[in-house]
Amino acid sequence: MAVLTDSMRERIRDLCTKYPQKQAVTLPALHMVQDEFRHVSLEAIKEIAALLELHPAEVHDTMSFYGFYRDENHKLGKHRVWVCRSISCMLHGGEELLASLCEKYHIKPGETTADGKVTLEFAECLGACEGAPCILVDDNCEMNMTTEKVASLVNKM
Amino acid sequence: MAKFEPVLLARIGKPDSALLETYQRDGGYSALKKALGMAPEEIINTVKDSGLRGRGGAGFPTGLKWTFLPKGHPGPIYLAINADESEPGTFNNRILMEEDPHQIIEGIIISCFAIKSNKSFLYLRYEYGKSYRALENAVNECYAAGILGDNVMGSGFKCDIVLHRGAAAYICGEETGLIESLEGKRAWPRIKPPFPAIEGAFRKPTIVNNIETMACVVHIVNKGVEWFKSMGVPADPNNPRDAGSYGPKLYCLSGHVNKPGCYEVPLGITARQLIDEYGGGVPNGRGIKAVVPGGISMGFLSASELDTPLDFNGPGKVGCLGLGTAAVVVIDDQTSMVDVLYNCCRFFSHESCGQCTPCREGTAWMTKIMHRIRSGQGEMRDLDLLAEVAGSIGIIPGTTICGLSDGAAWPVKNAIKKFRPEFEEYIQSKRSTIKPAELLAVH
Ligand SMILES: Cc1cc2nc3c(=O)[nH]c(=O)nc-3n(C[C@H](O)[C@H](O)[C@H](O)COP(=O)(O)O)c2cc1C
Ligand code: SF4
Ligand code: FES
């Protein structure tokens, strides 16, 4: 059974026309798969490789370099909440925020809540230091956060 | 001091500033129109004469870089735009892209025309979702309006922009790491030469430039060389190698300041002026212990060095690595430099791509030593050990492929030199300031 949907295949083929080499579509294809399935399985890697005319090991090599992608043993929750721990956020309590969220949701950075809703992560500078401490919810930045504000965002998810 | 009237940030904060309609109403794409009527070489010379130096961190003269492309190359030539912006403290590219994406696109098309490239890849860090959506919309508007595509504004020039999202890795900001990542590989920086201008993305001549550099190009074409050179710090006539620091610059101010934000001022403002006149001083009436002059890679200014002008040469004169991204982070006098340095070390060991042993091992060991010190188990000789490791990694000593490790070394070198008594006192006290979160978070 194929893992990639027809629409994904079509989008991947379409992207291939924008680059001089198909391999360049590796990251976009991995994003597509992970966004939808919350991880990238070995089977998905093989199918991406076939579409890009690569060896699966090449796709896997690239994927494993970026801590961003998750394999089938480390699936993501429905949403991913990244808490910045770099300098400007640290000066405004970013590390304490991360610790208190870990405590609140009974998970460590990298883990997912029991209901599968949220994967909590630490992040390096999110490029929003003027609003420290900040977090990233999927790919939306939220500034000037407190534990309460994060909790209310999570409740609305 | 009269407040400088922003140019690069002129449209930020206005209603619908990201849309084509408002951009054109404000005179947008007039620089492109002008450029399309010039010869490409003429644009390169204009940028060269302006003295514009790249805003991404290295400060390399932009026009000069463009002349490194092989003459008469049959193509393709690529323009890779570096929007990976991940240096801690830095957020100016994000503001430009989110709020004024057409200004960036205009700069990209002009630059493509100048270097005879028909295609630009804009490499955007994944975290910038809002930037991505603003750019995507702006690019679509441009295709629909004939500003991008096969016939740019009816000139016959063909130009495409491809938006490419990264995957949360700092090293993708290093220009050859970016190229490898764009090609779909692990972001391992390449050994140079060959420089990207000779052999870059997809083995073709490639120019890599920062987002803010693109914004500067628009206004240089529009307002001219004299205008750009009227701002900043002129080249030192006694130093033939000094390229000067001309034009406006986006300074990012964060940390312990009352009004953090991105401020546009001519190059050469001092850290003190920036903090007092723009940042509204330090909260709670506290003093300043240290200031990061341009992203943590650049090291630290001590409280006695706050009158250092933040131009391309200023920070280097007081032992910092350089101006970097001009991201200024203020650290108040109640903050422990031991905590700050640990935070910096941890960043670099997390972000080292692992390709060069001195960088991979050196950054990891510096973090471990800092952890040991913070847990109350440090010894005096750890400070010399840190200095030794920091002195042995990087392009400057010649042991690594890219500058990440110079950036990792600099905060260590500066902190141990400028704040040594504080580190000694901390070690002697045997106290521990490790916070619960750090025990949870892995390196
Ligand atoms: C480790 C490392 C990270 C970098 N990150 C960035 C970045 O995020 N954005 C950027 O424009 N330049 C970054 N640079 C500098 C680039 O290598 C390159 O000099 C720059 O993109 C060139 O553009 P410019 O001349 O317009 O500044 C980085 C360099 C190093 C060594
Ligand atoms: S210096 Fe560090 S980050 Fe740069 S290539 Fe070597 S290992 Fe990678
Ligand atoms: S340090 Fe947290 S966003 Fe920059």
Side-chain angles (χ1 to χ4, degrees):
Chain A
M1 252 275 289
V3 175
L4 268 57
T5 62
D6 287 344
S7 130
M8 284 178 187
R9 287 166 191 278
E10 199 172 319
R11 276 184 288 154
I12 290 171
R13 282 195 199 98
D14 186 45
L15 278 175
C16 285
T17 64
K18 299 195 173 185
Y19 297 87
Q21 286 167 13
K22 290 182 178 177
Q23 186 168 11
V25 183
T26 304
L27 258 52
L30 290 170
H31 280 311
M32 236 179 254
V33 171
Q34 177 158 295
D35 280 352
E36 178 103 6
F37 302 124
R38 315 309 294 155
H39 73 285
V40 185
S41 65
L42 210 51
E43 186 50 38
I45 289 175
K46 287 181 191 159
E47 293 178 21
I48 292 171
L51 283 167
L52 303 184
E53 294 174 45
L54 297 169
H55 193 284
E58 291 174 284
V59 176
H60 187 270
D61 180 65
T62 299
M63 172 175 149
S64 63
F65 177 82
Y66 303 90
F68 186 83
Y69 300 111
R70 298 291 197 96
D71 64 21
E72 48 236 289
N73 298 320
H74 302 87
K75 292 181 185 171
L76 290 170
K78 201 154 173 268
H79 296 283
R80 208 170 188 183
V81 173
W82 304 81
V83 182
C84 179
R85 64 174 192 178
S86 290
I87 187 157
S88 306
C89 288
M90 175 266 230
L91 295 173
H92 285 280
E95 301 199 320
E96 288 79 0
L97 177 64
L98 179 59
S100 97
L101 292 169
C102 287
E103 201 174 320
K104 185 173 175 65
Y105 295 106
H106 311 292
I107 46 176
K108 287 196 254 183
E111 294 178 350
T112 303
T113 51
D115 60 2
K117 195 155 97 175
V118 171
T119 302
L120 189 64
E121 309 256 19
F122 67 78
E124 299 299 355
C125 180
L126 293 169
C129 326
E130 79 270 44
C134 56
I135 65 165
L136 194 72
V137 181
D138 299 320
D139 68 0
N140 292 298
C141 188
E142 302 284 347
M143 298 190 189
N144 303 310
M145 285 288 109
T146 58
T147 310
E148 295 69 38
K149 285 188 196 168
V150 178
S152 100
L153 286 169
V154 168
N155 283 338
K156 281 187 221 136
M157 283 174 190
Chain B
M1 190 180 84
K3 282 253 158 100
F4 173 76
E5 197 60 49
V7 180
L8 311 176
L9 295 183
R11 304 185 64 256
I12 306 301
K14 290 192 181 174
D16 296 323
S17 62
L19 300 182
L20 178 59
E21 190 190 333
T22 63
Y23 188 65
Q24 282 181 317
R25 198 192 303 145
D26 293 342
Y29 291 109
S30 57
L32 173 60
K33 198 163 177 205
K34 187 170 166 187
L36 292 169
M38 294 164 75
E41 293 72 22
E42 202 183 336
I43 304 172
I44 296 181
N45 283 334
T46 303
V47 172
K48 217 167 145 182
D49 293 345
S50 75
L52 171 63
R53 292 172 66 174
R55 300 319 201 208
F60 195 84
T62 306
L64 183 63
K65 190 193 278 188
W66 292 0
T67 64
F68 293 162
L69 289 166
K71 301 278 167 298
H73 192 276
I77 290 169
Y78 297 119
L79 177 65
I81 299 300
N82 193 340
D84 193 57
E85 192 167 69
S86 311
E87 174 70 27
T90 316
F91 49 87
N92 54 350
N93 287 184
R94 189 198 90 236
I95 289 172
L96 289 172
M97 293 185 287
E98 283 181 355
E99 302 212 29
D100 203 1
H102 281 287
Q103 181 182 204
I104 303 306
I105 293 172
E106 183 168 13
I108 293 173
I109 307 175
I110 294 171
S111 303
C112 277
F113 183 70
I115 65 170
K116 300 185 178 150
S117 165
N118 301 117
K119 192 159 219 159
S120 172
F121 296 101
L122 190 152
Y123 189 104
L124 181 68
R125 68 180 296 197
Y126 185 83
E127 294 89 328
Y128 282 3
K130 192 174 173 195
S131 298
Y132 177 72
R133 287 178 277 280
L135 284 166
E136 190 183 36
N137 182 63
V139 164
N140 288 340
E141 285 183 314
C142 284
Y143 275 108
I147 296 169
L148 279 170
D150 290 341
N151 187 7
V152 172
M153 293 176 106
S155 66
F157 174 61
K158 174 179 159 63
C159 190
D160 288 312
I161 296 180
V162 178
L163 303 179
H164 190 94
R165 298 182 82 171
Y170 172 68
I171 196 58
C172 295
E174 196 282 338
E175 55 184 1
T176 56
L178 181 149
I179 288 171
E180 289 283 315
S181 179
L182 172 67
E183 291 181 356
K185 301 171 192 156
R186 50 175 63 208
W188 272 6
R190 294 177 183 169
I191 291 174
K192 291 170 261 190
F195 288 94
I198 304 298
E199 190 181 302
F202 311 103
R203 303 284 155 189
K204 298 294 178 195
T206 303
I207 293 295
V208 183
N209 272 140
N210 174 263
I211 289 285
E212 187 186 337
T213 309
M214 289 298 104
C216 291
V217 166
V218 175
H219 300 286
I220 290 167
V221 169
N222 237 344
K223 298 178 197 283
V225 166
E226 293 314 314
W227 164 78
F228 198 76
K229 288 202 121 164
S230 71
M231 281 170 274
V233 182
D236 175 359
N238 298 318
N239 178 2
R241 294 182 60 188
D242 181 14
S245 304
Y246 299 102
K249 177 79 193 87
L250 302 183
Y251 290 90
C252 299
L253 190 55
S254 70
H256 293 137
V257 276
N258 282 312
K259 291 190 281 177
C262 178
Y263 299 104
E264 178 179 353
V265 256
L267 271 162
I269 190 170
T270 66
R272 192 188 306 281
Q273 283 173 315
L274 197 61
I275 295 163
D276 290 346
E277 292 167 25
Y278 291 84
V282 179
N284 308 317
R286 290 182 182 174
I288 293 173
K289 181 181 277 185
V291 169
V292 170
I296 59 172
S297 297
M298 298 299 122
F300 303 102
L301 300 172
S302 67
S304 62
E305 294 164 344
L306 297 181
D307 294 313
T308 304
L310 300 178
D311 59 32
F312 286 105
N313 297 328
K317 288 182 184 153
V318 291
C320 296
L321 185 52
L323 178 65
T325 61
V328 174
V329 184
V330 183
I331 297 159
D332 75 16
D333 57 10
Q334 300 301 302
T335 306
S336 163
M337 283 310 283
V338 180
D339 288 352
V340 169
L341 186 61
Y342 171 72
N343 190 279
C344 296
C345 288
R346 185 183 60 187
F347 174 81
F348 291 106
S349 54
H350 187 256
E351 299 300 332
S352 167
C353 83
Q355 187 179 197
C356 319
T357 309
C359 172
R360 182 185 65 240
E361 297 298 316
T363 54
W365 275 107
M366 292 195 300
T367 305
K368 280 183 198 151
I369 296 168
M370 282 311 298
H371 182 77
R372 180 159 78 211
I373 292 175
R374 289 183 75 232
S375 63
Q377 297 177 335
E379 293 177 29
M380 274 324 174
R381 59 167 192 215
D382 282 341
L383 297 178
D384 296 326
L385 192 54
L386 278 169
E388 191 187 328
V389 177
S392 66
I393 62 170
I395 292 183
I396 292 171
T399 56
T400 63
I401 292 173
C402 93
L404 180 141
S405 41
D406 299 85
W410 239 264
V412 175
K413 288 186 191 185
N414 280 181
I416 303 245
K417 185 147 179 239
K418 301 183 184 181
F419 301 93
R420 190 167 185 116
E422 184 179 340
F423 283 83
E424 290 180 345
E425 186 277 324
Y426 188 99
I427 292 171
Q428 267 160 350
S429 76
K430 296 278 170 204
R431 66 180 182 273
S432 164
T433 51
I434 291 187
K435 297 183 190 125
E438 293 163 42
L439 296 172
L440 295 168
V442 279
H443 294 320

